[in-house]
Amino acid sequence: MEAISTGDRESTPGLAETADGRAIGYEGVAVGYLFGSAAFLAIGSLVWLAALTSVRFPNLLPFSHGHLRPIALTLLGLGWIVLGLSGGIYHVLPRLTGTPLVAGRLAQLALPGTVAVTVVGTVVVALGWGDGREPFALPQWLDVPAVALLAVPALVTLGTLRKRHERSLYPTIWFVVAAVVWLPALYLVASLPGLNRLISTLADLAFSYGFFHVWGLGLATGLAYYVVPKAAEQPLASRQLAKVGFWSLAFGAIWSGAAQMVAGPLPEWLQSVAAVLGLALPVAAVANATNIALTIGPRWRRITAEPVLAAAAAGAAFAALATIFGAIAGFRSAAVIVSLTAFWDGLFYMTTFGGIVLLFAAFAWHVLPNMVGRKVDAGRAMTLVRRNIFFASMTSLFLLVAGIATGYGWVGGAFTGSYTAVGEGWTQTSGLSGVLFGLAILFGVGALIAQMGVALSIYRVLTSGRATVQEVLVPGSNDRE
């Protein structure tokens, strides 16, 4: 059995052993989810780079950006982020609640179901049968099974918490509950038919930001709160910082999506709300990053030799930077320049391929040895962390600067009256931004190799990892109640 220090006391996330030594059922569910998600991370990263390439070189690929973008988001969102972080939920729940998974069989069945919906969705969108809505563009007949599958983590989580033995809730559980409740609710609202174009666009933006920040970034941060104290052998630095990070993220994320349209046809009150509540995201990300850094504490001097801690710290830093830039861009004075430009692609890249990838890697590298009894190659993992940091940073930077250059070109031409950014005037605004976008694609190739390396490292645990102690949970008695 293992123990995790919460800062207040030593809690035991594993279950107490019984005399007969019966193992908990469905303990291997998380393994399947993590291994399945790794394949979608590699494929989705490749398609996303192809989508960026199609913007700069529209005649190079057989598919347009309008096809490739939703395909990439489906592979990354449903295939990697939903599966991978669901696996994280199913791993930590028994350890932090002291009870076996409730509806574990349902969680097992949801794995092939989610894979099937993801694969069918990508094929349908590739054939042009999607509805064109952000982020996944799935038709309504696929929305029904998607919502049902996305509700499974909520059923498993809430059912398990209802029967928990642990009376206190570790911060990871806060992020888990918020993520599993928000995810199906947001998807259901965003897929409602009969909405006018403005409302449907706002619903899509709210779902996109809610998905990638509350489920993706928020849940990945919650899982980092689980592994960082264990890897650093230090107590969690501050529950108060964790609370600030949790509440700011849970209720600020969905409002930030509308910031992309602040300069568009929005009511003035919504523009103000989006700008002000958008400040909650950097507050959350900075609080969480600070908490993780303080928890690592004296291990900072050895962080270059500990990939789990390095990946968690770097992922939290990427999240903080992305949310700070996003909050600034949410105010009208900045939005008139960067709205509808590559600036927002840079923020997405920094959040997803910088923040979520590294936080996911930190969790997977720490828990997989306990789950399968094979070690992660620490040297190779640390190399992957460095490559992800460098190439994701450079790709994001050039996308951000390309967006700013494009925006200033549009605004400058309009203010001076010398040209308009349409027709022949388009080339006057796309020259510098085109070069910057091309550099982003070039560094994106290096980032793609690093992202595929993260995915491959998960499979290498089984194929080439050295044997280590394997953790097996067994059901415990309810002595503390």
Side-chain angles (χ1 to χ4, degrees), residues 47-368:
V47 178
W48 182 258
L49 181 63
L52 289 181
T53 304
S54 67
V55 175
R56 183 65 181 87
F57 307 102
N59 298 321
L60 182 63
L61 300 173
F63 289 98
S64 66
H65 180 73
H67 279 85
L68 292 172
R69 178 183 169 85
I71 291 174
L73 290 177
T74 301
L75 292 168
L76 293 169
L78 296 180
W80 164 47
I81 296 179
V82 167
L83 287 183
L85 299 185
S86 293
I89 291 173
Y90 301 146
H91 178 80
V92 303
L93 272 179
R95 291 159 174 82
L96 296 179
T97 61
T99 190
L101 285 180
V102 172
R105 179 61 176 168
L106 182 61
Q108 280 185 328
L109 295 175
L111 173 57
T114 305
V115 171
V117 168
T118 303
V119 173
V120 172
T122 56
V123 173
V124 166
V125 174
L127 294 175
W129 298 340
D131 61 7
R133 295 186 60 176
E134 287 281 330
F136 306 134
L138 299 182
Q140 289 185 5
W141 59 270
L142 264 180
D143 286 334
V144 175
V147 170
L149 289 166
L150 296 181
V152 171
L155 296 175
V156 175
T157 298
L158 298 179
T160 304
L161 286 175
R162 186 171 59 87
K163 296 185 176 182
R164 75 183 188 274
H165 294 173
E166 293 284 345
R167 294 180 180 178
S168 64
L169 294 179
Y170 186 69
T172 296
I173 297 295
W174 310 343
F175 289 89
V176 168
V177 172
V180 300
V181 171
W182 268 120
L183 180 59
L186 286 172
Y187 194 102
L188 182 62
V189 171
S191 61
L192 290 176
L195 303 177
N196 64 47
R197 292 185 180 275
L198 178 58
I199 295 178
S200 64
T201 300
L202 290 175
D204 292 347
L205 291 173
F207 171 67
S208 296
Y209 257 64
F211 178 86
F212 286 103
H213 285 81
V214 178
W215 174 271
L217 193 57
L219 184 50
T221 301
L223 296 177
Y225 275 145
Y226 176 80
V227 300
V228 168
K230 292 160 66 70
E233 298 178 347
Q234 298 289 329
L236 182 65
S238 172
R239 279 179 174 263
Q240 296 304 317
L241 279 175
K243 287 180 181 179
V244 171
F246 168 73
W247 289 111
S248 300
L249 187 65
F251 293 99
I254 62 171
W255 294 100
S256 300
Q260 297 183 51
M261 293 183 61
V262 165
L266 295 182
E268 289 189 8
W269 68 267
L270 184 56
Q271 296 180 12
S272 301
V273 168
V276 173
L277 290 184
L279 295 174
L281 277 184
V283 170
V286 171
N288 290 324
T290 303
N291 207 6
I292 289 174
L294 292 175
T295 302
I296 294 173
R299 300 295 285 269
W300 273 108
R301 287 173 290 184
R302 295 185 54 199
I303 197 170
T304 56
E306 301 187 28
V308 170
L309 298 181
F318 269 113
L321 286 174
T323 52
I324 290 172
F325 291 146
I328 295 173
F331 288 92
R332 188 174 183 86
S333 57
V336 295
I337 297 174
V338 299
S339 290
L340 306 178
T341 69
F343 184 89
W344 293 96
D345 289 318
L347 290 184
F348 174 83
Y349 201 95
M350 186 178 292
T351 301
T352 305
F353 295 107
I356 302 178
V357 163
L358 288 171
L359 291 170
F360 170 76
F363 177 79
W365 290 339
H366 183 79
V367 303
L368 277 175

Side-chain angles (χ1 to χ4, degrees), residues 419-455:
Y419 62 88
T420 56
V422 294
E424 295 181 357
W426 179 257
T427 57
Q428 295 179 260
T429 63
S430 60
L432 177 60
S433 62
V435 173
L436 294 170
F437 206 97
L439 290 173
I441 294 172
L442 181 63
F443 282 101
V445 175
L448 171 64
I449 296 173
Q451 292 145 18
M452 287 187 167
V454 171

Side-chain angles (χ1 to χ4, degrees), residues 386-405:
R386 295 190 185 98
R387 289 176 179 174
N388 271 280
I389 292 173
F390 175 74
F391 286 108
S393 298
M394 298 305 295
T395 304
S396 303
L397 175 63
F398 281 113
L399 287 173
L400 293 172
V401 177
I404 294 173

